[in-house]
Amino acid sequence: MTANTLTVTDNRTGKQYEVPIENGVVRAMDLRKIKISDEDFGLMSYDPAFMNTASCKSNITFIDGDKGILRYRGYPIEQLAEKSTYLEVAYLLIHGELPTAGQLKEWSWNITHHTFIHEQIKKSMDGFHYDAHPMGMLIGTVGALSTFYKDAKDIFNPEARRHQIFRLIAKMPTLAAFAYRHSVGMPYDYPDNDLTYPGNFLNMMFKMTEVKYKPNRVLEHALDVLFILHADHEQNCGTNAMRSIGSSHVDPYSAVAGAAAALYGPLHGGANEAVLRMLKEIGSKDRVPEYIKKVKNGEGRLMGFGHRVYKNYDPRARIIKQVAEEVFEVTGKNPVLDIALELERIALEDDYFVSRKLYPNVDFYSGIIYQAMNFPVDMFPVLFAIPRTSGWLAQWEEMLLDKEQKIARPRQVYLGYGTRDYLPIEKRKELEGKAATAD
Ligand code: CMC
């Protein structure tokens, strides 16, 4: 018997198998040789929601959920949040290394000079209803971009890939801001190439009649930090969607639209929006215990709490709490902060949350900051999608170039009927909960 193997005894046959262990995992395909007969398909693993299945090998993001560690390409998130910028982090995620001064200049120039969107896309934005959710508008218009760039389908051409990467990172803030402007009936404001990535986004969101928009430096920096914190998070639901859709070799705009749709849900990037709605529903600090009681009784979840991977404080939430203080010095304190702090205090002392290792996640405080910065609640998931685009693209490119990857296509455990003969309509009977059956 060799080390780094797993010996499995199939008690159905008494046969023993040796399965190699590499990087702490066994290959599910190695289980297929475990059979009860030659005709047998072979053993599969069953893992709904990928609770214990690695779908890829990756060099991009590392998370240790028990210790509360997050690193991009080996760099601790705390150092990147303190010392880097979002555009530099986007470069790091995609290229694997921090850029030199020259590389950063060229990268920033390329992103800055792809921020405009085709006027026809602007017109398609106009087609949305006045009260359309900005995330729905973003998903629709980013998908529509694929129809404008014919070279987007050329995904195995590194030059063409680079072009779409510039375009997507550059245009997401423009689409996002246009979606917001449309929803409030304001004229669109075009990108300003003199501003930084977050500064230009603030400009496109909030510029009114002034000739030149000057972003508040503290708020611009806070947004940059929030963008860094949201840039990637290994194989979460949205990223898994990006890889899965991209594995069909579709263009990256269509894949980003799908990833953004996955992010939209309240259990994922929509949670920041849900947190604010929850805090509004609670209304005041003294009503927190009553709300916690409801959650413990199974009536809803404490939004912004819990995580599939973090079983300790989410390191991003810790950084966001510091950013919040800087922002509130400029904007004044968001009144819902007191309710959030009280919720956190009570939850972290309560056995229900402690025993399930439920801690605040990135979404618990981010929305409170966004609201203080004047972003409407509907925009919160959009603010998540903008920076996550660089992570999606890094993961997409890694997947495309990984020789082991193929079109994503899980197996299933079929538990339905065996063969049955077609039933003529006059012989079918209605049963409660079932469409039709024979006698
Ligand atoms: N409030 C109350 N109970 C919770 C919560 C919560 N927020 N999260 C998990 N639980 C309970 C859950 O009911 C279950 O209890 P029991 O064992 O008695 O059935 C236990 O904790 C384990 O929960 P789970 O649903 O099996 O955990 P999961 O890993 O499938 O879900 C999660 C992870 C993030 C979807 C979940 O914690 C959740 O719904 N949180 C609220 C939504 C949220 O804040 N999402 C943002 C996640 S971070 C950013 C991102 O990924 O986009």
Side-chain angles (χ1 to χ4, degrees), residues 114-115 117 135 138-139 141-143 145 166-179 197 201 204 253 256-257 260 263 382 384-390 392-393:
H114 282 92
T115 46
I117 54 172
M135 191 67 170
L138 179 75
I139 293 167
T141 48
V142 75
L145 282 184
F166 294 146
R167 285 176 174 145
L168 271 159
I169 296 176
K171 292 180 201 308
M172 283 293 267
T174 314
L175 294 175
F178 278 29
Y197 190 82
F201 179 56
M204 291 187 291
Y253 301 96
V256 165
L263 186 72
V382 172
F384 199 150
I386 294 171
R388 183 53 61 87
T389 301
S390 60
W392 287 332
L393 291 167

Coordinates of all heavy atoms in Angstrom, one line a residue, residues 114-115 117 135 138-139 141-143 145 166-179 197 201 204 253 256-257 260 263 382 384-390 392-393:
H114 N -11.8 52.4 -22.3 CA -12.9 51.5 -22.8 C -14.2 51.8 -22.0 O -15.1 50.9 -22.0 CB -12.5 50.1 -22.7 CG -11.5 49.7 -23.8 ND1 -10.2 49.7 -23.6 CD2 -11.7 49.2 -25.0 CE1 -9.6 49.3 -24.7 NE2 -10.5 49.0 -25.6
T115 N -14.3 52.9 -21.3 CA -15.4 53.1 -20.4 C -16.7 53.5 -21.1 O -17.8 53.3 -20.6 CB -15.1 54.2 -19.4 OG1 -14.6 55.3 -20.1 CG2 -14.2 53.7 -18.3
I117 N -19.9 53.3 -23.6 CA -20.7 52.3 -24.2 C -21.4 52.8 -25.5 O -21.6 54.0 -25.6 CB -21.8 51.7 -23.2 CG1 -22.7 52.9 -22.7 CG2 -21.2 51.0 -22.0 CD1 -23.9 52.4 -21.8
M135 N -30.2 46.1 -11.0 CA -29.4 44.8 -11.3 C -30.0 44.1 -12.5 O -29.2 43.5 -13.2 CB -29.5 44.0 -10.0 CG -28.5 42.8 -10.0 SD -26.8 43.3 -9.9 CE -26.0 41.7 -9.7
L138 N -28.6 45.9 -15.4 CA -27.2 45.6 -15.6 C -27.0 44.2 -16.3 O -26.3 44.1 -17.2 CB -26.5 45.6 -14.3 CG -25.0 45.3 -14.3 CD1 -24.2 46.5 -14.9 CD2 -24.4 45.0 -12.9
I139 N -27.8 43.2 -15.8 CA -27.6 41.9 -16.3 C -28.0 41.9 -17.8 O -27.4 41.3 -18.6 CB -28.5 40.9 -15.5 CG1 -28.0 40.7 -14.1 CG2 -28.7 39.5 -16.2 CD1 -29.0 40.1 -13.1
T141 N -28.1 44.4 -20.0 CA -27.3 45.2 -20.9 C -25.9 44.6 -21.0 O -25.3 44.7 -22.1 CB -27.2 46.7 -20.5 OG1 -26.9 46.8 -19.1 CG2 -28.5 47.4 -20.8
V142 N -25.4 44.0 -19.9 CA -24.0 43.4 -20.1 C -24.1 42.2 -21.0 O -23.2 42.0 -21.9 CB -23.4 43.1 -18.7 CG1 -23.9 41.9 -18.1 CG2 -21.9 42.9 -18.9
G143 N -25.2 41.5 -21.0 CA -25.4 40.4 -21.9 C -25.5 40.9 -23.3 O -24.9 40.4 -24.3
L145 N -24.1 43.4 -24.6 CA -22.8 43.9 -25.1 C -22.2 42.8 -26.1 O -21.4 43.2 -27.0 CB -21.8 44.2 -24.0 CG -21.9 45.5 -23.2 CD1 -20.8 45.6 -22.2 CD2 -21.9 46.7 -24.1
F166 N -10.6 44.2 -20.9 CA -10.6 45.7 -20.7 C -12.0 46.2 -20.7 O -12.4 47.0 -19.9 CB -9.8 46.4 -21.8 CG -8.3 46.1 -21.9 CD1 -7.7 46.0 -23.1 CD2 -7.6 45.9 -20.7 CE1 -6.3 45.8 -23.2 CE2 -6.2 45.7 -20.8 CZ -5.6 45.6 -22.0
R167 N -12.7 45.8 -21.8 CA -14.1 46.3 -22.0 C -15.0 46.0 -20.8 O -15.7 46.9 -20.3 CB -14.7 45.7 -23.3 CG -14.1 46.3 -24.5 CD -14.7 45.6 -25.7 NE -14.3 46.1 -27.0 CZ -14.1 45.4 -28.1 NH1 -14.2 44.1 -28.1 NH2 -13.7 46.0 -29.2
L168 N -15.0 44.8 -20.3 CA -15.9 44.5 -19.3 C -15.6 45.2 -18.0 O -16.5 45.8 -17.3 CB -15.9 42.9 -19.1 CG -16.9 42.2 -19.9 CD1 -16.5 40.7 -20.1 CD2 -18.3 42.3 -19.4
I169 N -14.3 45.2 -17.6 CA -14.0 45.9 -16.3 C -14.3 47.4 -16.5 O -14.8 48.1 -15.6 CB -12.5 45.7 -15.9 CG1 -12.3 44.2 -15.7 CG2 -12.1 46.6 -14.7 CD1 -10.8 43.9 -15.4
A170 N -14.1 48.0 -17.7 CA -14.3 49.4 -17.9 C -15.8 49.8 -18.0 O -16.2 50.8 -17.5 CB -13.6 49.8 -19.2
K171 N -16.5 48.9 -18.6 CA -17.9 49.3 -18.9 C -18.9 49.0 -17.8 O -20.0 49.5 -17.8 CB -18.4 48.6 -20.3 CG -17.6 49.2 -21.5 CD -18.1 48.5 -22.7 CE -17.1 48.7 -23.9 NZ -16.6 50.0 -24.1
M172 N -18.6 48.0 -16.9 CA -19.5 47.7 -15.9 C -20.0 48.9 -15.1 O -21.2 49.1 -14.8 CB -19.0 46.6 -15.0 CG -19.0 45.2 -15.6 SD -20.7 44.6 -15.8 CE -20.9 43.7 -14.3
P173 N -19.0 49.8 -14.6 CA -19.5 51.0 -13.9 C -20.4 51.9 -14.7 O -21.3 52.5 -14.2 CB -18.2 51.7 -13.5 CG -17.1 50.7 -13.6 CD -17.5 49.7 -14.7
T174 N -20.1 52.0 -16.0 CA -20.9 52.8 -16.9 C -22.3 52.3 -17.0 O -23.3 53.0 -16.8 CB -20.3 52.9 -18.3 OG1 -18.8 53.2 -18.1 CG2 -20.9 54.1 -19.1
L175 N -22.4 51.0 -17.2 CA -23.8 50.4 -17.3 C -24.5 50.5 -16.0 O -25.7 50.9 -16.0 CB -23.6 48.9 -17.6 CG -23.1 48.5 -19.0 CD1 -22.9 46.9 -19.1 CD2 -24.0 49.0 -20.1
A176 N -23.7 50.3 -14.9 CA -24.4 50.4 -13.5 C -24.9 51.8 -13.3 O -26.0 52.0 -12.8 CB -23.3 50.1 -12.5
A177 N -24.1 52.8 -13.6 CA -24.5 54.2 -13.3 C -25.6 54.6 -14.3 O -26.6 55.3 -13.9 CB -23.3 55.2 -13.5
F178 N -25.6 54.2 -15.5 CA -26.7 54.5 -16.5 C -28.0 53.8 -16.0 O -29.0 54.4 -16.1 CB -26.3 54.0 -17.9 CG -25.4 54.9 -18.7 CD1 -24.5 55.8 -18.0 CD2 -25.5 55.0 -20.1 CE1 -23.7 56.6 -18.8 CE2 -24.7 55.8 -20.8 CZ -23.8 56.7 -20.1
A179 N -27.9 52.6 -15.4 CA -29.1 51.9 -14.9 C -29.7 52.8 -13.8 O -30.9 53.0 -13.7 CB -28.7 50.5 -14.4
Y197 N -10.9 55.1 -11.1 CA -12.0 54.1 -11.4 C -13.2 54.4 -10.5 O -14.3 54.6 -11.0 CB -11.4 52.7 -11.3 CG -12.3 51.6 -11.7 CD1 -12.4 51.3 -13.1 CD2 -13.1 50.9 -10.8 CE1 -13.2 50.2 -13.5 CE2 -13.9 49.8 -11.2 CZ -14.0 49.5 -12.6 OH -14.8 48.5 -13.0
F201 N -16.8 56.5 -11.3 CA -18.1 55.9 -11.0 C -19.0 56.8 -10.2 O -20.2 57.0 -10.6 CB -18.0 54.5 -10.3 CG -19.3 53.9 -10.0 CD1 -20.2 53.6 -11.0 CD2 -19.6 53.5 -8.7 CE1 -21.4 53.0 -10.7 CE2 -20.8 52.9 -8.4 CZ -21.7 52.7 -9.4
M204 N -20.3 59.4 -12.6 CA -21.4 59.0 -13.5 C -22.7 58.9 -12.7 O -23.8 59.0 -13.2 CB -21.0 57.7 -14.2 CG -19.9 57.9 -15.2 SD -19.7 56.4 -16.2 CE -19.0 55.3 -15.0
Y253 N -19.2 38.2 -22.3 CA -20.3 39.0 -21.9 C -21.5 38.2 -21.4 O -22.2 38.5 -20.4 CB -20.7 40.0 -23.0 CG -19.6 40.8 -23.5 CD1 -18.8 40.4 -24.6 CD2 -19.2 42.0 -22.8 CE1 -17.7 41.2 -25.0 CE2 -18.2 42.8 -23.2 CZ -17.4 42.3 -24.3 OH -16.3 43.1 -24.7
V256 N -20.7 36.7 -18.1 CA -20.8 37.7 -17.0 C -22.3 37.9 -16.7 O -22.6 38.1 -15.5 CB -20.0 39.0 -17.3 CG1 -20.4 40.1 -16.4 CG2 -18.5 38.7 -17.2
A257 N -23.1 38.0 -17.7 CA -24.5 38.2 -17.4 C -25.1 37.1 -16.5 O -25.8 37.3 -15.6 CB -25.3 38.3 -18.7
A260 N -23.7 37.4 -13.0 CA -24.3 38.5 -12.3 C -25.7 38.1 -11.9 O -26.2 38.5 -10.8 CB -24.4 39.8 -13.2
L263 N -25.4 36.2 -8.8 CA -25.0 37.2 -7.7 C -26.2 37.9 -7.1 O -26.3 38.3 -6.0 CB -24.0 38.2 -8.2 CG -23.4 39.1 -7.2 CD1 -22.4 38.4 -6.2 CD2 -22.6 40.3 -7.8
V382 N -25.6 45.8 -7.4 CA -24.9 46.3 -8.6 C -23.4 46.7 -8.1 O -22.4 46.4 -8.8 CB -25.6 47.5 -9.2 CG1 -24.8 48.2 -10.2 CG2 -27.0 47.1 -9.7
F384 N -21.8 45.3 -5.9 CA -21.0 44.1 -5.7 C -20.5 43.5 -7.1 O -19.4 43.1 -7.2 CB -22.0 43.1 -5.1 CG -21.4 41.9 -4.4 CD1 -22.0 41.3 -3.3 CD2 -20.2 41.4 -4.8 CE1 -21.4 40.2 -2.6 CE2 -19.6 40.3 -4.2 CZ -20.2 39.7 -3.1
A385 N -21.4 43.7 -8.1 CA -21.1 43.1 -9.4 C -20.0 43.8 -10.1 O -19.2 43.2 -10.8 CB -22.3 43.1 -10.3
I386 N -19.9 45.1 -9.9 CA -18.8 45.9 -10.6 C -17.4 45.4 -10.3 O -16.7 45.0 -11.2 CB -18.9 47.4 -10.2 CG1 -20.2 48.0 -10.8 CG2 -17.7 48.2 -10.8 CD1 -20.5 49.4 -10.3
P387 N -17.0 45.3 -9.0 CA -15.7 44.8 -8.7 C -15.5 43.3 -8.9 O -14.4 42.9 -9.3 CB -15.5 45.2 -7.2 CG -16.9 45.3 -6.7 CD -17.7 45.8 -7.8
R388 N -16.6 42.6 -8.8 CA -16.5 41.1 -8.9 C -16.2 40.7 -10.4 O -15.7 39.6 -10.6 CB -17.8 40.4 -8.4 CG -17.8 38.9 -8.4 CD -16.7 38.2 -7.7 NE -16.5 38.6 -6.3 CZ -17.1 37.9 -5.2 NH1 -17.9 37.0 -5.5 NH2 -16.8 38.3 -4.0
T389 N -16.4 41.6 -11.3 CA -16.2 41.4 -12.7 C -14.7 40.9 -12.9 O -14.4 40.0 -13.7 CB -16.5 42.6 -13.5 OG1 -17.9 42.9 -13.3 CG2 -16.3 42.4 -15.0
S390 N -13.7 41.6 -12.2 CA -12.3 41.2 -12.5 C -12.1 39.8 -11.9 O -11.4 39.0 -12.6 CB -11.4 42.2 -11.8 OG -11.6 42.3 -10.4
W392 N -14.4 37.4 -11.8 CA -15.0 36.5 -12.7 C -14.1 36.2 -13.9 O -14.0 35.1 -14.4 CB -16.4 37.0 -13.2 CG -17.5 37.0 -12.2 CD1 -17.6 36.1 -11.1 CD2 -18.6 37.9 -12.1 NE1 -18.7 36.4 -10.4 CE2 -19.4 37.5 -11.0 CE3 -19.0 39.0 -12.8 CZ2 -20.5 38.1 -10.6 CZ3 -20.2 39.6 -12.4 CH2 -20.9 39.2 -11.3
L393 N -13.5 37.3 -14.4 CA -12.7 37.2 -15.6 C -11.4 36.4 -15.4 O -11.0 35.6 -16.2 CB -12.4 38.6 -16.2 CG -13.7 39.3 -16.8 CD1 -13.4 40.8 -17.0 CD2 -14.1 38.6 -18.1

